[in-house]
Amino acid sequence: MTNDPATNYYVAEAMKPLANPDAQTLRVVKLADALGKLCSGASLNKKALYSYMTETGFADIKGKAYNEAAFLADTTFRYFDYRALAHLCAGSAYLFGPKGQLAPGLLKTGKGKPKASYDPDNPFVPLPPLARKS
């Protein structure tokens, strides 16, 4: 597996922006958080995350706009499985490393592989949905 979007389908898909900029912001935050938790040796850089959220206006996404953006962002993770996780862990430095192409510095990248081992009986990796605001 590589971190090159030309040869890594999952990295290429993560690089494609969503049509809704609010949904794109939520998707990037959710993806960085998931990779920080699920990739071996990786961790979320909370200072960089706060900076990213400030720059993108994360706090300004409210009410119905937030709920719609959260739905769209969650939809991109509907069929998230071990294969996608493994490829995204391999490409985490490309996406979120110090010179990351999606959001620089959001992750302190690790070994480029998932923490958990593959389970052939259940290859899907459940990610919690983004909280909805009322």
Side-chain angles (χ1 to χ4, degrees):
M1 286 177 262
T2 69
N3 63 1
D4 180 10
T7 58
N8 188 328
Y9 169 81
Y10 298 97
V11 170
E13 287 297 307
M15 291 296 298
K16 290 181 184 175
L18 297 176
N20 180 326
D22 293 341
Q24 176 65 14
T25 298
L26 295 178
R27 180 179 74 159
V28 167
V29 169
K30 182 173 181 170
L31 180 59
D33 183 52
L35 295 181
K37 290 177 182 173
L38 300 173
C39 296
S40 182
S43 64
L44 194 60
N45 181 341
K46 294 186 184 198
K47 186 176 179 180
L49 177 64
Y50 179 77
S51 177
Y52 173 80
M53 291 169 75
T54 302
E55 289 171 15
T56 58
F58 184 88
D60 297 331
I61 309 170
K62 296 180 181 174
K64 185 178 179 184
Y66 178 90
N67 290 341
E68 289 174 3
F71 174 78
L72 291 172
D74 281 338
T75 300
T76 63
F77 297 101
R78 182 168 288 148
Y79 300 108
F80 195 70
D81 61 5
Y82 189 86
R83 181 180 181 142
L85 175 62
H87 281 82
L88 288 169
C89 284
S92 62
Y94 180 83
L95 295 169
F96 300 115
K99 295 181 182 179
Q101 300 299 308
L102 192 57
L106 285 190
L107 279 184
K108 295 173 186 170
T109 56
K111 299 177 182 178
K113 59 183 184 175
K115 285 181 184 176
S117 58
Y118 177 70
D119 179 3
D121 293 332
N122 186 15
F124 288 98
V125 178
L127 297 178
L130 292 164
R132 302 298 192 264
K133 296 181 180 182
S134 51

